[in-house]
Amino acid sequence: MVGLSVMTHLIRMRPMLFVHWSACSYSTSHNCGHSEDVFLQCGGEGFTLMDENLNTNTNSGLLLYYGGTVCDDSFDQNAADAICSAMGFSGVNSGYTSGISVLEDFRADRLIALDDVTCGSSYWSACSYSTSHNCGHSEDVFLQCGGYQGFTLMDVYQNTNANSGLLLYYGGTVCDDSFDQNAADAICSAMGFSGINSFYTSGGSVLEDFRANRIITLDEVVCGSSYWNGCSYSTSHDCSHSEDIFLQC
């Protein structure tokens, strides 16, 4: 991980006139010290996403910048879209949240590497930011690139390429407090399903052992329409896993 003391000295690289190694010259002798060692980021502008299993080959999860977390101060939809685009995703229908309890032990050992991300458009070149911060890890950003808004469905075999099953939000379960048909339709639409004739329930004994080891990441989902951008929610809860939502899209 590149520490903050080093990151403050990183300079955004501008395009070279030539982009082929054959156009470069170099020397194998030097007059340098290790304080001049180069750190290089190829694509992605230094950003990665980490899921709840610490995998980084994912399109959703904890947002990292050179291995440190990103604070939610000033973070908005433009920032989400810009960072998704910088990482090579479409940057369309991205979603973000903060304040959830996923990866707490991992986050506690990380530096907070970025704060006050402010983007005038959905392009990273239009963004400003600070590498100093006034944040705690409760403000770490979780980002979803590609339109799924952090939601997945898990069937009884623990497959997540399903259109029905246990509703998960960044790997944690969703409580049924205030959950209604609008919420079901909105979440199905956010996951790329039609959002028509969806069905939800809660309780039951399906996946009990799995659920017992999950955090409850979402509560009080209230949707004024069948679109996720018309919904409000809380990342704190007063629920038990007997209230976990199962959803059919």
Side-chain angles (χ1 to χ4, degrees):
M1 183 185 71
V2 181
L4 282 177
S5 61
V6 175
M7 288 199 310
T8 55
H9 294 88
L10 289 173
I11 300 172
R12 185 181 303 281
M13 298 183 71
R14 301 188 181 278
M16 295 174 62
L17 179 61
F18 301 103
V19 292
H20 298 286
W21 180 245
S22 60
C24 301
S25 63
Y26 56 88
S27 173
T28 55
S29 61
H30 70 87
N31 59 353
C32 305
H34 283 299
S35 62
E36 300 170 84
D37 290 344
V38 169
F39 290 82
L40 181 64
Q41 171 71 35
C42 299
E45 300 288 353
F47 293 107
T48 53
L49 293 170
M50 177 176 285
D51 68 17
E52 66 272 16
N53 298 313
L54 303 182
N55 297 316
T56 54
N57 58 340
T58 179
N59 71 330
S60 67
L62 176 65
L63 179 60
L64 299 174
Y65 181 71
Y66 290 103
T69 64
V70 178
C71 181
D72 65 3
D73 291 350
S74 302
F75 204 94
D76 63 6
Q77 192 62 50
N78 273 347
D81 291 345
I83 291 171
C84 284
S85 293
M87 288 190 288
F89 299 107
S90 70
V92 178
N93 295 324
S94 60
Y96 68 95
T97 190
S98 60
I100 59 178
S101 302
V102 176
L103 294 171
E104 281 189 307
D105 291 341
F106 174 87
R107 291 154 60 191
D109 293 329
R110 299 291 100 178
L111 296 169
I112 298 174
L114 214 59
D115 190 18
D116 289 316
V117 179
T118 304
C119 299
S121 71
S122 57
Y123 296 93
W124 183 242
S125 59
C127 301
S128 63
Y129 54 87
S130 173
T131 54
S132 60
H133 70 88
N134 59 352
C135 306
H137 282 298
S138 62
E139 300 170 86
D140 290 341
V141 169
F142 287 76
L143 182 62
Q144 170 72 38
C145 299
Y148 291 94
Q149 306 295 351
F151 293 108
T152 52
L153 293 170
M154 176 176 284
D155 67 18
V156 293
Y157 303 107
Q158 299 191 19
N159 298 315
T160 54
N161 57 343
N163 70 334
S164 66
L166 176 66
L167 179 61
L168 299 174
Y169 181 69
Y170 290 102
T173 64
V174 178
C175 182
D176 65 4
D177 291 350
S178 302
F179 203 94
D180 63 6
Q181 192 62 50
N182 272 349
D185 291 345
I187 291 170
C188 284
S189 293
M191 288 191 289
F193 299 107
S194 69
I196 299 173
N197 296 323
S198 60
F199 174 77
Y200 69 95
T201 187
S202 60
S205 57
V206 177
L207 294 170
E208 272 189 323
D209 291 340
F210 175 87
R211 291 154 58 193
N213 292 316
R214 297 289 101 177
I215 295 164
I216 299 172
T217 49
L218 214 59
D219 190 18
E220 301 290 354
V221 178
V222 178
C223 299
S225 70
S226 57
Y227 296 94
W228 181 243
N229 60 8
C231 302
S232 63
Y233 55 88
S234 173
T235 54
S236 59
H237 71 89
D238 58 352
C239 306
S240 67
H241 283 299
S242 63
E243 300 169 85
D244 290 342
I245 289 284
F246 289 79
L247 182 61
Q248 167 75 44
C249 297

